[in-house]
C-alpha cells in the first residue's frame, strides 16, 4: 500500500517510526527556500549542527543559530561528494532535480541516511516530524525494499525519541503495529478511567441532571486558570479571546467528552480542561469530561472508543496530530460517526514564532471528513459552532482547521441556550440531506439565526476580476483585508476564500470565480509548497470547469508571511509596485524568492502528479474527461506487427524493410493511396541514460500540458519515450530558452551567441552534426530546467508518414509499409539514426505500435478502365504496389481494368528490386501492362526512370492525352524536373502539343488530379 503524507512523501507505507537522536551530530541540508530552512530547523531543534548547502542567501530565521555556531551556510557549488562522509544524516529540499539525485547517490554510497523531499525513491526515510525537540527528531523509515542497507545503518545509529509510554523501549525500533497496540491499550485505560470516575460520564444524556461532575483526569499542568472568562462568552457579550479559547468554548459547549491532543503546545485545550475540572456544564446541561491525550501513531483510537458509547465527542488538537489521526479519521468517516476535531494549525519557527501552517491539517483531506477553515477568533467561534451542527446533523467527522496565533480579539460568542437550539434546528433541517447540502444548510441557518455570513466559498472583490487570489484560513483573511488597497491600484482583482475544503465543490468554486478571470493565484499555505493540496484542487477544478477558457493557475508561497507580507506578495503577483512594509525577514524573502522563481520552476498546471488525482480520474472518467491514450489528442489506433522482413541483403548498406500491421479489432480503415502515420518511440535505454545523466527520476509521474493542450499524465520515462522529441533537432528558440536557465554566465553567453549572426556558422555545423536536445542539455550542464519546464521546451515527437503499400481489399485486417531505414554518421563518426525508422526497425512481430491514417491525393482514377502510369523510386513504389493489388482484386471480381504502366528505379537489380517477384508475376498475368525498370548502377551509364519514359513517348502521349489516363510520381524529389521533361517530350513529339503549350497541359492535368506528385 502506498502512503502519502502531507509533506509530499509518497511511497511504501512506513514500516517503522523511529527517532533520530542528532545531539552533537552533523546534519547536511541541501536546497533553498522555506522547505530547506524547515529541515535545517528540524535538525537544529534535534540538537544537530547543520551545514546548509544553498544557492540562496542566509535566511534571517537561522541567524540566531548561526551566531551560536550551530549552522554554517555553504554555497551549493562548493559541495563535493567527499563532504558527506562527516554527516550523520542528509536532507534535500527544494533543490533542483540534478542536485537531489546527485546528493542522494553520494549519500547512498557513503551510507548516510538521506531524505529527499517529494521523492520516495531517492529517500531512505520519510520525514514525519511529529515530535521534535532537544532529544531528537521523529522520522518514519520505509524498509520495504527501499535502500535496506542504509535503513539498517540508520537504525543502528539512532536512538529512538519516542512518546513517553514507549520510553522503556528507547533505543529500539518500535514497529507501527506495536505503537498501534500501545495506543489501543491507552484507549482502554482512558475508557476504564472514565468509567471508574462515574459510569454516567459515558451516558451523559440520560443522567446528566443527577450525576456528580466527573473527577478531573487532567495533568498537573492543566490546573492553570484559562485566560478567557467563560461566563462572559456564555452571556453573548463581546469578550476578548484568542482562537484557542473560542475553539475550546465550542468544543466544551457542544460535547460530552473532549480530548485534547497537543503535540507540543501545553496551553492548547487548557481552557476546556479547566472548565471540565470546574464542572462547568455544556450547552445541553450535562458535564463535560475533558482528557489530555498523547499524540502518537494510532492517535485517535480513543475517539473511536468514546464514540462507541454514544457520547457527543470533540477533540482539540494541534494540526500536527492530524497525520497520525488520519487512519482513524478515515474509518470514522466511513462509519459515519459524528465527531468534531478543532485542529489548530500552526508551526513554530526557530525564533519560536508561530505561523499558520496547514501542511499537517491537509492530511485530513483524504479521510472523508468534512474540513472547514477559519482565520480570526470570531471566525473560529462561528465555524467551530457550525462544525458541531454539521457533525450532529450529517453524522460525519468534521475537522475545523483554525489558524493559531496569539491575536486576542473581541469575540461575540453565542450563549449556551441558543447554541443548543441552533444545533437542534440544523439537525432537523438536514435530516436526509447529503453532507455537502448539510454544510450549506448549516451556514444558511447560522446566517439567519446570528446574522453572520459564511459559505463554502466566499468571493470578495471586482465582479470583472482578471486576477483572482484563492486562499484559506489566515492567508484568505489577510488577502481580503488587502483587497481595498489592491482594488485602488488594480481594479480587476478578487479574492476567493475557501471555507470548506471538503466536501470539495469544484463546480461551486468555478461558479464563484468571475467569468472574466484569466489568472488564478493560489496563496500557498503549507510550509512545504509541494504538499499544497489546495493549489492542486483549484487547478483541477478550473481545468475541468473552464476547459475552453484560457485561465492560468499558479501559486505564490506565503507560508510564514504576516498580513503585510501577504499583501506584498499579492501586489507582486499583480505586477504592482511594492508598498512599504516593515522588514519581516525571512517571510518577505521567501515570497520574493517564490515569485522570482515562479516562471522558471512552476509552470502553471505542470505538476508532479498526485497519485490520488490519477485514481480519481481513472475511477470517474466521464466526470474528468479522462482518456487513456498512448498518443493523446490524436485519432490513433493501436496495431501490432504481424510480419516484418528485410528486403535488401544484409550485406547491402541500405536497409529497406517490409512491415505489416494487424489492424483487426480496430477501427482503422484506409483508402488506396493513403499514408500511415507512425508514432515512433525514443529508445528506452537512451532515455534512461539521459535521465541518469540529467538527474531525473524516470519513474516519477508527472501531469503536464503543453501550450493550450490537454493535460497528460505520464511517467518521466513515458514523456521522454513517447511524448518529447528528446533526440530531435532543437530550434534556435530552445537555445535561447536554455540560456535563461544557465547558472554559469559563460554557458548562458555561449548559448545566446549561437543564435546570433556571429554564431551562425557554428550553429550550422551543429545542425549538420545533428546535435539533439539531449546533447545540448548535457553539454550545457549549468542549465538545468526542471522536468516540468522540459515538457514545455522540448518539441513533441511528430508522427512520420509512410505510403501504404497494400490494398485493404486484398489484405483485409492488415496494412503494409515499405520503409528505408534512415542512418548516417555525424562528423565525429557516431552512428545516427532517424527517429521513426529506428523505432520501426527495432520492432518485432507482436509489438504494439500507435498509428493514424492520413488521406492522400494519390488516388486511382474513378473508372477501373482508365490507364494509370506510375513512376516510383525506391520506397516510392510503395503506393503503386497498393494500386496494382487493388486493380488485381477488381479484375478478379470481373471488372474491365485499364492499362497499367510502372516505371521503377533503384540502384541495383540484385539489391533493391523491391517486390520484384510480385511485379514480374503481375506483368506475366497481363495486369501490369508495361513494366519498365531503371537500375542506375547496374551498367556503366546511369539509367533513371526518366530515360525509360523517354523510350515510351507513344504510350505516354496516347494514354494521357487521348485515353484519360493518370500519371503518378512518388519518392524523392530530385527526379521531378527530369520526369516532367520526359512527359513534355512525349506530348510534343507524339501528342501534337506545341512546345509552348506543354507546360500549360501539365498544369491542366495537375488541376484535374491526373498528374500527381508525392515526393518527400
Ligand atoms: C507522404 C509521405 C509518404 C512517405 N512514404 C514513405 C515510405 O513509403 N517509405 C519511407 O521509407 N519513407 C516515407 N516517407 C518519409 C518518412 O515519412 C520519413 O521522413 C522518413 O522515414 C525519415 O523519418 P525518421 O524519423 O526516421 O528520420 P528523422 O529523425 O525525421 O530524420 C530525417 C532527417 O532529418 C535530419 N535530422 C534528424 N535529426 C537531426 C538533428 N538533431 N539535427 C539536424 N538534422 C537532423 C537528418 O538529416 C535525417 O536524415 C514518406 C513521407 C511522406 C511525407
Amino acid at each position: 500500500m502506498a502512503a502519502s503524507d502531507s509533506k509530499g512523501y509518497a511511497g511504501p507505507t512506513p514500516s517503522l517510526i523511529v527517532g533520530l537522536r542528532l545531539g552533537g551530530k552533523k546534519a547536511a541540508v541541501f536546497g533553498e527556500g522555506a522547505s530547506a530552512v524547515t529541515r535545517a530547523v528540524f535538525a537544529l531543534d534535534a540538537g544537530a549542527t547543520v551545514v546548509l548547502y544553498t544557492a540562496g542567501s542566509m535566511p534571517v530565521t537561522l541567524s540566531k543559530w548561526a551566531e551560536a555556531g550551530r549552522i554554517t551556510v555553504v554555497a551549493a557549488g562548493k559541495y563535493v561528494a567527499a563532504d558527506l562522509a562527516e554527516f550523520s544524516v542528509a536532507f534535500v529540499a527544494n533543490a533542483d532535480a540534478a542536485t537531489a539525485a546527485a546528493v542522494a547517490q553520494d549519500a547512498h554510497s557513503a551510507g548516510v541516511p538521506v531524505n529527499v523531499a517529494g521523492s520516495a525513491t531517492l529517500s531512505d526515510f520519510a520525514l514525519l516530524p511529529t515530535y521534535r525537540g532537544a532529544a531528537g527528531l521523529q522520522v518514519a523509515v520505509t524498509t520495504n525494499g527501499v535502500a535496506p542497507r542504509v535503513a539498517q545503518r540508520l537504525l543502528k545509529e539512532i536512538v529512538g525519541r519516542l512518546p513517553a509510554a514507549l520510553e522503556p523501549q528507547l533505543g529500539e525500533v518500535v514497529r507501527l503495529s506495536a505503537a498501534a497496540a500501545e495506543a489501543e491499550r491507552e484507549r482502554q485505560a482512558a475508557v476504564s478511567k472514565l468509567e471508574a470516575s462515574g459510569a454516567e460520564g459515558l451516558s451523559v444524556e440520560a443522567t446528566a441532571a443527577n450525576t456528580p461532575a466527573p473527577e478531573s483526569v487532567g495533568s498537573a499542568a492543566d490546573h492553570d486558570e484559562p485566560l478567557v472568562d467563560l461566563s462572559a462568552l456564555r452571556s453573548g457579550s463581546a469578550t476578548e479571546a484568542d482562537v484557542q479559547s473560542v475553539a475550546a468554548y465550542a468544543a466544551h459547549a457542544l460535547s460530552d467528552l473532549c480530548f485534547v491532543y497537543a503535540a507540543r503546545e501545553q496551553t492548547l485545550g487548557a481552557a476546556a480542561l479547566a472548565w471540565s475540572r470546574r464542572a462547568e456544564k455544556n450547552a445541553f446541561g450535562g458535564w463535560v469530561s475533558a482528557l489530555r491525550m498523547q499524540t502518537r501513531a494510532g492517535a485517535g483510537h480513543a475517539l473511536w472508543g468514546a464514540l462507541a458509547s454514544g457520547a457527543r465527542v470533540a477533540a482539540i488538537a494541534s494540526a500536527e496530530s492530524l497525520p497520525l489521526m488520519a487512519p482513524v479519521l478515515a474509518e470514522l468517516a466511513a462509519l459515519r460517526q459524528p465527531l468534531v476535531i478543532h485542529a489548530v494549525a500552526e508551526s513554530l519557527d526557530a525564533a519560536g514564532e508561530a505561523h499558520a501552517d496547514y501542511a499537517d491539517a491537509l492530511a485530513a483531506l483524504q479521510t472523508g471528513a468534512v474540513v472547514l477553515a477559519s482565520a480570526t477568533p470570531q471566525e473560529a467561534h462561528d465555524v467551530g459552532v457550525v462544525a458541531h451542527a454539521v457533525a450532529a446533523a450529517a453524522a460525519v467527522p468534521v475537522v475545523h482547521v483554525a489558524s493559531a496565533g496569539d491575536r486576542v480579539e473581541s469575540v461575540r460568542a453565542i450563549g449556551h441556550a441558543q447554541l443548543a437550539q441552533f444545533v437542534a434546528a440544523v439537525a432537523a433541517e438536514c435530516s436526509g440531506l447529503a453532507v455537502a447540502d448539510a454544510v450549506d444548510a448549516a451556514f444558511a441557518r447560522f446566517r439567519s439565526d446570528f446574522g453572520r455570513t459564511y459559505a463554502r466559498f466566499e468571493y470578495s472583490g471586482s465582479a470583472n476580476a482578471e486576477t483572482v487570489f484563492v486562499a484559506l484560513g489566515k492567508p484568505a483573511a489577510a488577502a481580503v483585508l488587502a483587497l481595498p488597497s489592491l482594488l485602488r491600484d488594480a481594479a480587476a482583482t478578487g479574492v476567493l476564500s475557501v471555507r470548506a475544503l471538503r466536501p470539495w465543490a469544484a463546480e461551486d468554486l468555478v461558479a464563484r470565480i468571475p467569468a472574466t478571470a484569466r489568472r488564478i493565484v493560489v496563496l500557498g499555505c503549507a510550509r512545504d509548497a509541494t504538499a499544497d493540496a489546495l493549489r492542486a484542487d483549484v487547478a483541477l477544478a478550473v481545468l475541468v470547469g473552464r476547459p475552453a477558457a484560457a485561465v492560468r493557475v499558479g501559486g505564490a508561497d506565503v507560508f510564514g508571511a504576516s498580513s503585510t507580507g501577504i499583501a506584498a506578495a499579492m501586489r507582486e503577483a499583480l505586477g504592482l509596485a511594492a508598498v512599504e512594509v516593515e522588514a519581516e525577514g525571512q517571510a518577505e524573502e521567501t515570497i520574493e524568492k517564490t515569485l522570482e522563481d515562479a516562471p522558471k520552476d512552476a509552470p502553471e498546471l505542470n505538476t508532479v502528479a498526485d497519485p490520488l488525482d490519477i485514481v480519481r480520474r481513472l475511477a470517474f472518467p466521464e466526470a474528468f474527461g479522462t482518456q487513456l491514450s498512448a498518443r493523446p489528442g490524436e485519432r490513433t489506433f493501436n496495431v501490432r506487427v504481424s510480419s516484418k522482413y528485410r528486403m535488401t541483403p544484409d550485406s547491402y548498406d541500405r536497409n529497406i524493410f517490409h512491415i505489416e500491421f494487424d489492424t483487426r479489432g480496430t477501427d482503422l480503415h484506409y483508402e488506396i493511396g493513403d499514408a500511415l502515420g507512425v508514432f515512433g518511440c525514443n529508445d528506452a535505454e537512451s532515455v534512461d541514460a539521459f535521465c541518469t545523466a540529467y538527474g531525473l527520476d524516470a519513474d516519477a509521474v508527472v501531469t503536464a500540458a503543453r501550450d493550450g493542450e490537454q493535460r497528460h499524465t505520464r511517467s518521466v520515462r513515458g514523456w521522454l519515450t513517447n511524448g518529447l522529441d528528446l533526440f530531435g533537432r532543437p530550434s534556435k528558440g530552445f537555445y535561447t530558452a536554455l540560456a535563461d536557465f544557465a547558472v554559469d554566465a559563460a554557458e548562458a553567453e555561449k548559448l545566446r551567441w549561437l543564435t546570433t549572426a556571429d554564431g551562425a556558422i557554428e550553429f550550422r555545423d551543429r545542425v549538420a552534426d545533428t546535435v539533439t536536445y539531449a546533447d545540448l542539455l548535457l553539454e550545457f550542464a549549468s542549465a538545468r530546467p526542471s522536468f516540468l519546464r522540459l515538457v514545455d521546451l522540448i518539441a513533441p515527437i511528430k508522427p512520420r508518414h509512410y505510403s501504404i503499400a497494400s490494398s485493404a481489399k486484398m489484405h483485409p485486417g492488415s496494412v503494409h509499409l515499405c520503409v528505408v531505414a534512415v542512418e548516417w554518421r555525424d562528423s565525429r563518426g557516431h552512428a545516427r539514426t532517424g527517429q521513426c525508422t529506428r523505432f520501426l526497425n527495432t520492432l518485432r512481430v507482436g509489438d504494439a505500435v500507435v498509428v493514424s491514417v492520413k488521406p492522400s491525393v494519390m488516388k486511382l482514377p474513378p473508372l477501373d478502365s482508365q490507364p494509370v502510369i506510375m513512376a516510383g523510386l525506391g520506397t516510392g513504389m510503395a503506393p503503386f504496389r497498393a494500386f496494382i493489388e487493388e486493380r488485381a482484386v477488381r479484375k478478379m471480381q470481373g471488372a474491365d481494368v485499364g492499362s497499367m504502366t510502372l516505371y521503377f528505379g533503384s540502384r541495383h537489380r540484385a539489391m533493391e528490386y523491391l517486390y520484384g517477384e510480385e511485379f514480374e508475376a503481375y506483368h506475366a498475368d497481363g495486369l501490369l501492362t508495361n513494366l519498365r525498370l531503371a537500375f542506375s548502377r547496374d551498367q556503366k551509364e546511369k539509367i533513371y526512370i526518366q530515360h525509360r519514359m523517354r523510350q515510351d513517348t507513344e504510350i505516354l502521349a496516347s494514354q494521357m492525352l487521348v485515353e484519360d489516363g493518370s500519371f503518378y510520381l512518388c519518392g524523392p524529389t530530385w527526379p521531378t524536373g527530369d520526369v516532367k521533361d520526359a512527359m513534355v517530350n512525349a506530348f510534343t513529339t507524339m501528342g501534337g502539343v506545341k512546345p509552348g503549350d506543354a507546360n500549360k497541359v501539365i498544369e491542366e492535368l495537375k488541376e484535374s488530379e491526373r498528374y500527381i506528385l508525392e515526393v518527400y
Side-chain angles (χ1 to χ4, degrees):
M1 197 182 90
S4 174
D5 72 31
S6 57
K7 289 129 208 116
Y9 168 75
T13 307
S15 48
L16 306 165
I17 289 206
V18 295
L20 276 177
R21 178 159 285 174
L22 293 175
K25 300 211 172 139
K26 283 186 79 172
V29 179
F30 296 81
E32 290 167 58
S35 308
V37 171
T38 309
R39 276 153 183 82
V41 171
F42 286 160
L44 288 162
D45 264 350
T49 51
V50 170
V51 177
L52 175 64
Y53 291 94
T54 182
S57 55
M58 166 83 182
V60 175
T61 327
L62 298 177
S63 48
K64 173 181 112 189
W65 304 96
E67 272 163 33
R70 294 275 307 281
I71 181 162
T72 325
V73 177
V74 175
K78 296 238 163 81
Y79 160 72
V80 286
D83 291 352
L84 265 189
E86 63 187 79
F87 293 101
S88 296
V89 67
F91 299 95
V92 185
N94 204 16
D96 59 82
T99 308
V103 172
Q105 174 64 42
D106 296 345
H108 292 163
S109 310
V112 175
V114 62
N115 169 266
V116 180
S119 173
T121 347
L122 295 177
S123 296
D124 294 321
F125 62 91
L127 195 60
L128 294 179
T130 311
Y131 291 93
R132 56 180 190 269
L137 168 65
Q138 178 173 303
V139 295
V141 182
T142 57
T143 54
N144 346 18
V146 181
R149 188 179 50 78
V150 184
Q152 281 305 321
R153 160 102 194 265
L154 183 71
L155 299 183
K156 248 169 68 192
E157 266 216 0
I158 56 182
V159 181
R161 154 73 178 159
L162 299 162
L166 300 174
E167 266 179 17
Q169 300 178 58
L170 260 182
E172 286 181 30
V173 167
V174 177
R175 296 195 170 273
L176 273 189
S177 54
E182 179 64 26
E184 176 58 17
R185 275 198 296 282
E186 187 188 352
R187 182 186 76 75
Q188 293 288 357
V191 172
S192 319
K193 209 165 182 181
L194 271 175
E195 282 169 344
S197 72
E200 301 81 0
L202 289 176
S203 52
V204 177
E205 278 298 23
T207 54
N210 307 318
T211 47
E215 283 290 307
S216 160
V217 287
S219 71
D222 299 326
H223 286 273
D224 298 338
E225 274 307 294
L227 292 171
V228 67
D229 179 357
L230 179 63
S231 57
L233 288 170
R234 270 192 197 143
S235 72
S237 59
T239 312
E240 295 288 306
D242 63 358
V243 162
Q244 299 187 3
S245 305
V246 290
Y249 175 69
H252 180 268
L254 296 169
S255 72
D256 308 318
L257 279 169
C258 181
F259 295 83
V260 177
Y261 293 86
R264 161 170 38 77
E265 178 54 74
Q266 288 303 303
T267 60
L268 187 73
L273 292 164
W275 296 328
S276 160
R277 240 182 356 260
R278 286 197 332 226
E280 300 283 1
K281 289 186 177 173
N282 62 19
F284 311 104
W287 282 290
V288 181
S289 298
L291 258 184
R292 188 181 283 288
M293 308 298 284
Q294 286 190 335
T295 299
R296 65 182 59 175
H301 279 94
L303 297 169
W304 196 334
L307 280 163
S309 74
R312 297 182 195 91
V313 180
I316 303 168
S318 59
E320 284 169 305
S321 318
L322 282 179
L324 295 175
M325 289 179 167
V328 172
L329 207 50
E331 292 193 57
L332 292 176
L335 295 170
R336 296 296 295 265
Q337 292 291 312
L339 161 75
V340 176
I341 300 178
H342 299 275
V344 180
E346 72 166 4
S347 66
L348 296 186
D349 65 16
E353 266 176 46
H355 297 297
D357 182 353
Y358 298 91
D360 290 320
L362 298 180
L365 294 187
Q366 315 302 353
T367 60
V370 172
V371 182
L372 307 176
S374 69
T376 61
Q378 183 66 61
E379 281 186 14
H381 168 273
D382 295 350
V383 175
V385 166
V386 168
H388 282 271
V390 169
V396 67
V398 180
V399 177
H400 163 218
V401 181
S403 308
D406 300 333
R407 209 164 98 193
V408 173
E409 261 181 32
S410 171
V411 174
R412 200 166 278 280
I414 300 167
H416 273 183
Q418 280 178 298
L419 279 181
Q421 274 168 14
F422 171 70
V423 171
V426 173
E429 277 174 25
C430 294
S431 143
L433 287 188
V435 174
D437 296 332
V439 175
D440 287 340
F443 279 134
R445 179 77 198 203
F446 190 90
R447 183 187 176 179
S448 67
D449 283 5
F450 310 115
R452 290 192 287 274
T453 304
Y454 297 96
R456 285 198 269 169
F457 299 104
E458 296 157 17
Y459 181 76
S460 337
S462 158
N464 305 315
E466 281 168 20
T467 302
V468 174
F469 293 91
V470 180
L472 65 91
K474 190 182 161 205
V480 172
L481 277 179
L483 201 52
S485 119
L486 294 175
L487 283 172
R488 270 197 303 278
D489 297 335
T493 307
V495 173
L496 190 81
S497 308
V498 177
R499 180 76 60 201
L501 279 148
R502 291 293 181 273
W504 180 246
E507 285 166 23
D508 197 10
L509 171 122
V510 172
R512 301 251 165 177
I513 294 174
T516 46
R518 289 290 166 269
R519 195 158 158 253
I520 291 167
V521 182
V522 181
L523 298 178
C525 53
R527 62 178 172 265
D528 193 336
T530 54
D532 197 340
L534 179 63
R535 181 166 167 192
D537 276 344
V538 172
L540 192 61
V542 173
L543 187 76
V544 175
R546 296 259 169 101
V551 185
R552 299 192 316 147
V553 180
D557 179 10
V558 295
F559 168 66
S562 66
S563 299
T564 40
I566 290 170
M570 293 168 78
R571 293 187 75 82
E572 285 259 18
L574 287 167
L576 298 175
V579 288
E580 279 296 301
V581 290
E582 58 190 86
E584 282 171 306
Q586 197 240 329
E588 265 70 29
E589 234 177 67
T590 309
I591 295 160
E592 217 172 85
K593 174 108 198 62
T594 312
L595 291 173
E596 197 179 280
D597 286 354
K600 275 188 191 174
D601 295 340
E604 278 72 8
L605 291 179
N606 287 5
T607 54
V608 173
D610 169 7
L612 228 106
D613 182 29
I614 298 173
V615 172
R616 260 184 272 164
R617 283 166 177 276
L618 292 177
F620 306 105
E622 291 85 8
F624 288 98
T626 308
Q627 288 169 0
L628 286 180
S629 170
R631 299 288 173 160
E634 314 253 359
R635 174 151 167 75
T636 56
F637 310 93
N638 298 343
V639 297
R640 283 190 188 276
V641 180
S642 52
S643 170
K644 181 175 163 240
Y645 59 86
R646 182 170 167 140
M647 301 171 86
T648 50
D650 286 347
S651 56
Y652 190 51
D653 64 350
R654 298 182 83 192
N655 172 10
I656 302 177
F657 54 93
H658 172 89
I659 186 162
E660 296 180 9
F661 300 107
D662 184 350
T663 63
R664 284 171 304 174
T666 71
D667 288 336
L668 188 153
H669 300 290
Y670 66 91
E671 302 291 330
I672 282 297
D674 285 353
L676 196 72
V678 176
F679 291 80
C681 300
N682 286 330
D683 175 37
E685 271 184 29
S686 308
V687 164
D688 280 353
F690 172 79
C691 287
T692 310
Y694 194 77
L696 292 171
D697 174 5
D699 294 317
V701 180
V702 167
T703 297
R706 292 184 50 85
D707 290 345
E709 282 179 7
Q710 265 190 306
R711 304 178 84 201
H712 309 149
T713 299
R714 290 170 167 149
S715 66
V716 166
R717 184 181 291 108
W719 276 102
L720 292 175
T721 44
N722 298 316
L724 304 176
D725 198 12
L726 182 65
F727 305 115
R729 176 184 159 174
S731 65
K732 273 195 179 165
F734 181 77
Y735 282 71
T736 319
L738 198 59
D740 290 344
F741 289 93
V743 176
D744 180 317
E747 288 195 345
E749 196 183 332
K750 173 83 188 271
L751 281 162
R752 290 205 180 89
W753 174 79
L754 280 167
T755 64
T756 63
D758 290 347
I761 294 177
E762 186 174 333
F763 185 81
R764 199 195 53 208
D765 290 348
R766 283 170 170 267
V767 173
D769 233 6
T770 54
V771 166
T772 66
Y773 286 101
D775 293 336
L776 216 56
L777 286 165
L778 297 181
E779 180 184 346
F780 293 90
S782 86
R784 278 285 188 268
S786 70
F787 183 71
L788 299 178
R789 292 298 294 152
L790 290 185
V791 173
D792 274 336
L793 295 173
I794 302 178
I797 298 176
K798 294 196 183 63
R800 310 298 201 259
H801 291 100
Y802 297 88
S803 308
I804 293 176
S806 54
S807 154
K809 290 197 179 78
M810 185 172 277
H811 306 282
S814 184
V815 57
H816 304 180
L817 305 180
C818 176
V819 179
V820 53
V822 174
E823 295 163 343
W824 72 98
R825 288 198 177 272
D826 64 22
S827 64
R828 286 155 294 166
H830 295 154
R832 296 281 196 167
T833 51
Q835 195 273 339
C836 193
T837 49
R838 184 211 60 79
F839 166 72
L840 284 169
N841 195 27
T842 55
L843 292 174
R844 301 279 168 266
V845 170
D847 285 350
V849 182
V850 181
V851 298
S852 61
V853 173
K854 184 182 171 214
S856 155
V857 285
M858 297 280 284
K859 296 286 167 224
L860 275 169
L863 301 177
D864 291 330
S865 56
Q866 284 175 274
V868 294
I869 302 166
M870 307 166 283
L873 237 72
T875 56
M877 41 55 56
F880 304 138
R881 178 177 182 257
F883 280 18
I884 295 167
E885 287 186 349
E886 183 82 359
R887 283 251 168 124
V889 174
R890 294 294 295 138
K891 190 177 173 188
M892 272 190 318
Q893 290 169 342
D896 180 14
V897 296
S899 161
M900 299 190 90
T901 300
L902 175 66
Y903 295 94
F904 172 68
S906 66
R907 289 187 203 162
H908 302 285
R909 183 183 186 111
M911 309 290 185
E912 285 185 72
Y913 186 11
L914 308 175
Y915 302 110
E917 284 176 17
E918 291 181 23
F919 293 148
E920 298 287 340
Y922 287 124
H923 186 41
D925 177 55
L927 177 80
L928 187 52
T929 324
N930 304 302
L931 177 58
R932 306 284 194 250
L933 305 172
F935 297 109
S936 59
R937 301 191 189 176
D938 275 355
Q939 59 285 310
K940 237 167 59 196
E941 73 285 10
K942 293 273 166 53
I943 299 178
Y944 296 116
I945 49 171
Q946 59 268 29
H947 298 124
R948 295 294 184 222
M949 287 174 71
R950 281 183 176 271
Q951 292 164 355
D952 283 338
T953 46
E954 198 179 329
I955 296 174
L956 296 177
S958 67
Q959 293 196 351
M960 292 302 292
L961 300 175
V962 183
E963 296 168 46
D964 238 359
S966 293
F967 173 78
Y968 308 85
L969 171 68
C970 184
T973 22
W974 63 263
T976 311
D978 293 331
V979 163
K980 186 181 144 201
D981 290 349
M983 190 65 88
V984 166
N985 174 52
F987 289 178
T988 50
T989 54
M990 295 301 289
V993 175
K994 289 190 200 129
D997 292 342
N999 271 338
K1000 196 168 146 237
V1001 172
I1002 299 269
E1003 285 312 309
E1004 282 167 2
L1005 287 170
K1006 280 186 183 169
E1007 278 287 295
S1008 55
E1009 295 183 357
R1010 287 177 47 217
Y1011 190 101
I1012 297 170
L1013 307 177
E1014 185 156 274
V1015 286
Y1016 43 83

